[in-house]
Amino acid sequence: MKVRSVKLREAHKASSSNGRGGSFCSLMWDQQAHHLVTASSSDPSISIHDPLLQSSAPRILRHHRDGVTAIAISPNSTCLASGSIDHSVKLYKFPSGEFETNITRFTLPIRALAFNRSGSLLAAAGDDEGIKLINTIDGSIARVLKGHKGPVTGLAFDPNSEYLASIDSTGTVIFWELHSGITLHTLKGVAPDIGSDFSVMNVVSWSPDGETLAVPGLRNDVVMYDRDTAEKLFSLRGDHIQPICFLSWSPNGKYLATSGLDRQVLIWDVDRKQDIDRQKFDDKICCMAWKPIGNALGVIDVMGKYGIWESVVPSSMKSPIEDVPNLQSKNSNGLLFFDEEEQDLSASASLSDLGEDSHGESEPPSRKRLRKRSAYEENLEESGNDEWSLPPKAESRKKANRIDKESLNNRNEGLRSITSARPKMQEAFQPGATPVQPGKRSFLCYNMVGSITTIEHDGYSHIEIDFHDTGSGPRVPSMTDHFGFTMAALNENGSVFANPCKGEKSMSTLMYRPFSTWANNSEFPVHNECEVFLCADFGCVMQTQWSMRLEGEEVKVVALGTAWVAAITSFNFLRIFTEGGLQRHVLSLDGPVVTASGFKDELAIVTHACDCLPSNDQMLEFRVFNISTGTQSLRGRLPITPGSHLAWFGFSEEGQLSSYDSKGVLRVFTSQYGGSWLPLFSASKGKSDENYWVVGLNASKLFCIVCKKPDFFPQVMPKPVLTLLNLSFPLASSDLGAEALENEFILNNMNLVQIQKRMEEMAGAGLDTTSLDDEAFNTEAAQDRCILRLIASCCNGDKLVRATELVKLLSLEKSVKGAIKLVTALKLPNLAERFNIVLEERLLNEAKGTKQTTLPNSSIDAPVMAKVAVSKTLASSETSKTSETVLSSSSPKLTAPLFTKKAKSQEGAKVGIKKTEQSQTMLLDDIGKGNKVEEVKNAGEMSQIQTNRPSNLFIKSSNNQEVTKVGENQVQSHRPSNPFLKSSVK
């Protein structure tokens, strides 16, 4: 034996409370060997060491209440999992060590943890005898594997994620098939029985190529078993004089390190089946890990001391990191819970969606066991593909596998490219909801009204409803949820909840709770479903919640509107209920639902139009129903960014249909061009380290919660801060350098189109449209100010044709004259002459009584083209005058889309008009007095050319009333008639 010692340092305090002197300690490297993590069953803390500076203090994680018995690091080293005697399994961000969640709990101590190759699945086991397979995407328990009769001490996923191997304290090894959860092979008593001594553990380990499973033998040796048949292949037997208690493969699978109860560590050359080096220690080495990068082995003993054995393999031999097998894993991104690329997976994925095939890819040709061939192989044989037939039974399975690998390599590549790359259609999701996190609060709904949160506790959930505006919203008491609701929708009138199928009858529950019950009388408790109380003392009828149960049919998405509730189910049924619980309609949709949202009488639904394209593009379709009239108002394809999925869907505060995809692009539906989606925001222009979780939007702002990457959704606590972002079109870089003004111009135009649509709808319904007049006029005035600033930029950039195009888009006659004054101040007489011609043509057309003005606002969907009646005197006098006198004396006129405001009194109109004219005349005169070009270049200072007016500038007169004279010395002007006014203007 070589006299070479490995220096060990204390990482954890030793404990002799078990009577045997020592505790089981764990040790693991991260993927790049930047950190070394240690833990001990006698210490509730976890230590993260810097292997390059072993003398420096480690980072300590203290979250367990008792000793840590197992640790595991996700394949991409973004997450650390730990199990403890305190029965809990916790997740941390790595390497920061920030605590994330208690992902599961057992009734007895944990003994073993393991991630699969993709990190999408975490296996946990211990003294409970059952093995939990945990979906790391949402923390749900995908399956519990039961078959062991003693504490499970070792777990190992095979590198191909087809099998899971487990071993218990009695020495029994079980091979599990992941996709079905069935037991393939049970090898009883093939490993030592460790009894109740948990200072050492029985372990199993797959070779890096996944061909063999190494198990401690009964003769102080290591036995190798075939991955498919579980047949014994060979054993490694050397100078261990007591049973082996731990083993670890080198990264390339050429070497194996074994430690025994005899306190020896042996290094084996597996191909030659002989040991090449060994080391004697003072105490039993209970855990080892090969360094992923370099020729070194980390070891830790039962007394909590760890060290690094450098140059394990002699330099004359092949390096342990040379020719590492490349298994071409379909997903090696690591833990999906923290990974950006995999957020589109369903939070309720079944076990068949997990592991390496967790993205809906078809199972590739694999080396299945001889005794039970896979359905995939049988299908191949049924198709007449004899070349894929299994080898004769007498032939060694391992040898056959190697032959298959060589002969089918090329064929497999072509087939894998088809089967493994098949994209998966996006699962249904609820807008404003976050994934369920065990032990933490999560959002069932978060919108512009408020939020609904839930947290699981002792087998049931606690639900709370909060309103953003606490002054207007009712006070809603918290609710104990015994159904396990996973989705909800919220508006001002009530909330609706639903859960997935549960119980023996596989029933899904839909429940509606109106707020009127709690708002009218909080003293009345909620009793039975569909029950109505009569409040004699309070003079009101109070309706409690109602619920519906669907047997064998699962609710996927819920939505709320004015006096209706909607649920879309797994049968592609759209079920519509009244607010009182009456079942009104059941419709069949064309495809699986993706999401839905409600706004007043409208229900918008997104479904899959067809399978995904080979480019992984989702093919989505949207439909908008009017529940009150029973009609479908809109239908079409929903555009999203190539390669993305839908992340949010809903209505703006004004009722515009909107969507937001995973690439960060917000789109809003408009009636322009026959119905189109306008991209109004792109996260790519924001900060690179931020993700935006959308809550809602209005005409000018996006309401969202900013999440620091890699997080895609906020935590409930602390309460998230709502951020307002400006809407902005993805415009090309302008040669004027005025992208902000051009963006404002397009936004104003879009808002005018939306206002026009709303006014038309109200007029069609026989409603008064005066409530929209203020909003419409203010938008038009803002648009004129924006156009004037754009004209100034064009003049400074020598874009005179563009300036002429812009002046034709001005709505106010005063604004046109202001533009003339502007270009005159900039000493552009030719352009001023063109502007004068535009003004003369407009006034001439108005004088002729044309039904539409010559302004091309109709080409850009301006709100309304009003009939215009202009006096001949005004037309003849003003067309020949552009001097200051005319500008200061003429009254402002609307010659394009016109929206007026109702004044409180005729006297107010006089004062308002006088003040407005004085203000506008002074500002325009400033330009005439020789404002510098440099001042005009400043877009902010151009806002001095005010075209807005006070709310009482133009009075809507009642029937048989006349417009009051505006001044004794002013020429009385007749304003054009407004088609939206109910009253007549004389």
Side-chain angles (χ1 to χ4, degrees):
M1 183 183 299
K2 298 181 180 179
V3 182
R4 228 179 22 164
S5 61
V6 177
K7 184 178 180 180
L8 301 183
R9 297 175 178 272
E10 184 180 84
H12 304 274
K13 294 291 185 181
S15 173
S16 58
S17 58
N18 57 13
R20 293 177 175 82
S23 306
F24 181 77
C25 298
S26 307
L27 176 143
M28 291 197 76
W29 294 92
D30 66 356
Q31 190 178 34
Q32 299 297 325
H34 294 156
H35 304 89
L36 191 64
V37 184
T38 61
S40 171
S41 61
S42 62
D43 186 355
S45 65
I46 302 171
S47 299
I48 302 178
H49 307 268
D50 185 343
L52 298 179
L53 299 171
Q54 296 186 41
S55 59
S56 61
R59 183 183 297 118
I60 306 297
L61 310 182
R62 295 184 177 91
H63 294 279
H64 284 288
R65 293 176 296 176
D66 212 331
V68 179
T69 52
I71 56 175
I73 299 178
S74 63
N76 69 346
S77 299
T78 62
C79 177
L80 171 68
S82 65
S84 169
I85 298 174
D86 65 10
H87 311 167
S88 68
V89 178
K90 301 179 185 294
L91 290 184
Y92 313 82
K93 286 186 177 180
F94 191 83
S96 66
E98 178 185 348
F99 175 74
E100 278 295 319
T101 184
N102 290 306
I103 196 166
T104 192
R105 288 189 64 84
F106 285 72
T107 58
L108 293 172
I110 315 298
R111 302 294 175 187
L113 296 172
F115 280 104
N116 68 342
R117 186 175 179 84
S118 70
S120 61
L121 202 62
L122 174 68
D127 296 355
D128 281 18
E129 300 178 5
I131 304 170
K132 289 185 180 181
L133 300 182
I134 306 165
N135 184 349
T136 56
I137 302 169
D138 61 356
S140 61
I141 306 299
R143 182 171 282 126
V144 178
L145 309 176
K146 294 186 177 181
H148 286 283
K149 303 302 181 183
V152 178
T153 59
L155 296 169
F157 286 97
D158 93 277
N160 296 313
S161 282
E162 293 179 359
Y163 307 136
L164 172 72
S166 60
I167 187 171
D168 58 33
S169 60
T170 66
T172 297
V173 177
I174 297 180
F175 287 64
W176 309 87
E177 184 177 56
L178 285 175
H179 293 292
S180 63
I182 64 173
T183 301
L184 299 180
H185 308 286
T186 300
L187 308 177
K188 294 185 177 180
V190 296
D193 187 341
I194 64 173
S196 59
D197 180 11
F198 289 111
S199 65
V200 291
M201 301 280 190
N202 271 337
V203 295
V204 291
S205 182
W206 291 97
S207 61
D209 62 3
E211 293 293 335
T212 56
L213 179 71
V215 181
L218 298 175
R219 304 172 62 184
N220 306 334
D221 58 352
V222 179
V223 181
M224 304 293 180
Y225 294 92
D226 181 77
R227 65 170 275 112
D228 299 306
T229 64
E231 296 173 353
K232 180 178 177 180
L233 300 176
F234 61 92
S235 63
L236 301 177
R237 188 175 182 185
D239 290 337
H240 279 298
I241 58 177
Q242 291 189 48
I244 291 173
C245 59
F246 202 87
L247 47 86
S248 178
W249 289 91
S250 66
N252 62 1
K254 181 172 177 58
Y255 307 104
L256 182 73
T258 60
S259 65
L261 300 181
D262 56 5
R263 297 180 295 176
Q264 287 191 96
V265 173
L266 271 62
I267 308 299
W268 299 84
D269 185 324
V270 178
D271 293 336
R272 294 163 55 188
K273 300 181 180 59
Q274 66 179 29
D275 61 292
I276 57 175
D277 204 351
R278 68 189 68 182
Q279 183 74 231
K280 184 79 172 182
F281 292 87
D282 295 334
D283 293 289
K284 292 177 290 187
I285 299 298
C286 54
C287 189
M288 300 177 294
W290 287 83
K291 190 174 183 180
I293 302 174
N295 182 13
L297 180 72
V299 298
I300 190 168
D301 63 20
V302 295
M303 305 307 291
K305 297 179 179 179
Y306 82 102
I308 300 175
W309 181 355
E310 300 286 354
S311 302
V312 181
V313 177
S315 58
S316 59
M317 301 183 67
K318 191 175 185 177
S319 169
I321 60 172
E322 185 179 344
D323 296 334
V324 175
N326 184 6
L327 297 178
Q328 297 295 327
S329 172
K330 298 180 185 67
N331 174 23
S332 58
N333 289 324
L335 186 66
L336 300 183
F337 191 78
F338 305 119
D339 190 80
E340 176 178 357
E341 298 299 326
E342 307 300 331
Q343 291 296 322
D344 58 338
L345 292 180
S346 166
S348 58
S350 63
L351 185 63
S352 62
D353 295 328
L354 301 174
E356 294 304 310
D357 296 310
S358 61
H359 304 277
E361 297 124 340
S362 300
E363 183 181 0
S366 58
R367 299 176 297 276
K368 290 289 183 183
R369 59 197 178 282
L370 183 63
R371 301 171 197 170
K372 185 173 182 178
R373 294 179 295 177
S374 68
Y376 188 83
E377 290 174 322
E378 292 172 0
N379 290 339
L380 287 175
E381 290 186 353
E382 289 173 4
S383 301
N385 198 346
D386 297 334
E387 295 179 354
W388 293 80
S389 59
L390 295 171
K393 195 170 185 177
E395 186 178 357
S396 166
R397 181 64 178 167
K398 188 172 181 68
K399 182 178 179 181
N401 281 333
R402 290 175 178 170
I403 295 173
D404 285 344
K405 274 198 296 184
E406 294 172 2
S407 62
L408 301 180
N409 248 354
N410 295 333
R411 210 172 289 117
N412 284 352
E413 287 300 322
L415 187 58
R416 283 194 184 101
S417 66
I418 299 173
T419 59
S420 65
R422 185 179 302 165
K424 180 180 179 181
M425 293 196 300
Q426 180 179 354
E427 295 288 344
F429 73 94
Q430 190 72 30
T434 59
V436 177
Q437 302 177 70
K440 284 188 174 183
R441 289 187 179 275
S442 57
F443 288 112
L444 294 180
C445 176
Y446 194 111
N447 59 22
M448 300 292 283
V449 176
S451 64
I452 302 178
T453 60
T454 182
I455 184 172
E456 186 179 357
H457 179 69
D458 291 340
Y460 61 89
S461 296
H462 184 75
I463 291 179
E464 292 184 354
I465 300 177
D466 296 304
F467 291 90
H468 301 316
D469 186 358
T470 56
S472 61
R475 182 182 176 276
V476 182
S478 59
M479 179 179 74
T480 299
D481 170 25
H482 296 282
F483 295 96
F485 293 126
T486 58
M487 65 196 81
L490 171 71
N491 65 10
E492 298 84 354
N493 303 319
S495 56
V496 61
F497 302 86
N499 65 353
C501 290
K502 282 191 171 186
E504 296 180 358
K505 295 185 178 180
S506 188
M507 300 185 75
S508 185
T509 302
L510 176 75
M511 186 175 78
Y512 176 72
R513 304 196 80 178
F515 296 144
S516 58
T517 299
W518 303 315
N520 291 342
N521 185 2
S522 60
E523 295 180 359
F524 276 84
V526 174
H527 295 289
N528 299 322
E529 299 162 2
C530 301
E531 186 174 5
V532 176
F533 295 98
L534 179 63
C535 310
D537 295 338
F538 295 88
C540 63
V541 175
M542 303 196 332
Q543 178 188 348
T544 64
Q545 82 277 6
W546 53 262
S547 66
M548 301 286 171
R549 291 182 175 85
L550 306 175
E551 186 172 341
E553 183 179 357
E554 185 172 81
V555 177
K556 293 292 187 181
V557 181
V558 293
L560 271 180
T562 301
W564 58 264
V565 176
I568 301 94
T569 71
S570 55
F571 288 175
N572 297 342
F573 286 168
L574 166 59
R575 296 183 176 272
I576 301 173
F577 306 84
T578 64
E579 194 174 25
L582 177 65
Q583 302 188 53
R584 284 293 305 276
H585 305 285
V586 180
L587 308 178
S588 284
L589 300 177
D590 295 343
V593 67
V594 178
T595 191
S597 181
F599 178 79
K600 296 183 179 178
D601 291 332
E602 291 187 321
L603 168 64
I605 300 175
V606 178
T607 59
H608 287 284
C610 61
D611 288 338
C612 298
L613 298 179
S615 59
N616 202 28
D617 291 341
Q618 302 285 330
M619 301 300 293
L620 305 180
E621 182 180 61
F622 75 96
R623 301 171 71 177
V624 179
F625 299 97
N626 189 300
I627 304 300
S628 62
T629 61
T631 58
Q632 177 178 283
S633 55
L634 291 172
R635 180 171 185 170
R637 287 292 176 90
L638 179 68
I640 58 175
T641 306
S644 69
H645 62 271
L646 190 61
W648 179 86
F649 184 75
F651 291 88
S652 70
E653 287 188 338
E654 295 77 22
Q656 282 189 282
L657 196 60
S658 310
S659 71
Y660 185 80
D661 62 37
S662 60
K663 297 291 187 181
V665 178
L666 174 75
R667 294 175 176 86
V668 173
F669 184 83
T670 176
S671 57
Q672 291 177 279
Y673 297 100
S676 302
W677 289 86
L678 305 180
L680 285 184
F681 177 82
S682 177
S684 62
K685 294 187 176 181
K687 296 181 179 179
S688 59
D689 62 339
E690 292 180 346
N691 291 320
Y692 304 111
W693 193 72
V694 173
V695 174
L697 69 153
N698 61 18
S700 60
K701 301 286 184 181
L702 173 67
F703 294 77
C704 65
I705 296 172
V706 178
C707 303
K708 292 295 183 182
K709 291 184 178 179
D711 294 336
F712 281 84
F713 54 86
Q715 302 296 324
V716 177
M717 300 299 293
K719 189 175 182 179
V721 178
L722 207 58
T723 302
L724 276 66
L725 302 176
N726 291 323
L727 299 181
S728 176
F729 284 88
L731 300 178
S733 297
S734 173
D735 52 2
L736 292 177
E739 289 86 354
L741 287 175
E742 292 176 316
N743 181 74
E744 181 184 350
F745 171 75
I746 302 178
L747 278 175
N748 287 337
N749 179 64
M750 184 193 71
N751 293 336
L752 286 171
V753 173
Q754 183 64 16
I755 294 171
Q756 177 194 13
K757 180 182 177 183
R758 288 157 58 192
M759 294 180 105
E760 290 174 350
E761 291 174 352
M762 292 177 67
L767 301 176
D768 188 7
T769 61
T770 56
S771 60
L772 294 175
D773 285 349
D774 288 354
E775 181 182 357
F777 180 79
N778 289 337
T779 305
E780 276 205 319
Q783 180 74 318
D784 272 12
R785 290 195 297 272
C786 177
I787 292 174
L788 286 171
R789 293 195 294 269
L790 278 172
I791 290 174
S793 297
C794 291
C795 293
N796 292 320
D798 198 27
K799 308 295 181 185
L800 304 186
V801 174
R802 198 176 307 175
T804 306
E805 294 171 344
L806 285 166
V807 78
K808 296 177 182 180
L809 303 179
L810 289 169
S811 299
L812 293 168
E813 183 180 324
K814 190 76 172 181
S815 300
V816 179
K817 294 177 180 179
I820 296 172
K821 198 72 174 177
L822 171 63
V823 296
T824 302
L826 294 173
K827 299 180 180 180
L828 297 171
N830 292 335
L831 190 59
E833 184 178 352
R834 291 183 190 177
F835 286 8
N836 270 314
I837 294 174
V838 171
L839 180 59
E840 290 174 0
E841 289 177 352
R842 174 183 297 184
L843 294 174
L844 182 61
N845 289 331
E846 290 171 353
K848 291 179 180 179
T850 55
K851 293 184 178 181
Q852 288 187 341
T853 66
T854 56
L855 293 181
N857 283 28
S858 59
S859 65
I860 58 169
D861 295 318
V864 175
M865 307 306 291
K867 284 188 176 182
V868 183
V870 181
S871 66
K872 295 181 179 179
T873 303
L874 183 63
S876 60
S877 63
E878 290 187 346
T879 52
S880 60
K881 297 180 182 180
T882 57
S883 63
E884 281 187 34
T885 306
V886 176
L887 286 172
S888 61
S889 62
S890 61
S891 61
K893 295 187 178 182
L894 286 176
T895 56
L898 174 63
F899 300 90
T900 61
K901 304 178 182 182
K902 178 175 279 187
K904 293 183 179 179
S905 67
Q906 299 287 351
E907 189 66 29
K910 296 179 181 180
V911 176
I913 293 174
K914 289 180 180 179
K915 288 184 178 180
T916 303
E917 290 196 346
Q918 290 174 4
S919 174
Q920 291 185 350
T921 302
M922 290 174 61
L923 292 173
L924 291 173
D925 286 344
D926 287 341
I927 299 176
K929 292 176 182 178
N931 284 348
K932 295 181 180 180
V933 176
E934 289 77 5
E935 293 177 348
V936 178
K937 289 181 180 179
N938 189 331
E941 294 188 11
M942 284 307 302
S943 62
Q944 291 176 350
I945 307 175
Q946 298 290 333
T947 61
N948 201 355
R949 57 181 179 177
S951 60
N952 58 356
L953 178 57
F954 289 100
I955 304 171
K956 268 190 287 211
S957 59
S958 59
N959 291 334
N960 302 322
Q961 285 184 336
E962 295 183 355
V963 179
T964 307
K965 254 184 192 178
V966 178
E968 294 181 0
N969 299 326
Q970 284 185 323
V971 179
Q972 182 177 356
S973 60
H974 297 277
R975 25 183 320 242
S977 60
N978 190 336
F980 298 117
L981 297 182
K982 295 291 180 181
S983 58
S984 61
V985 180
K986 295 186 178 180

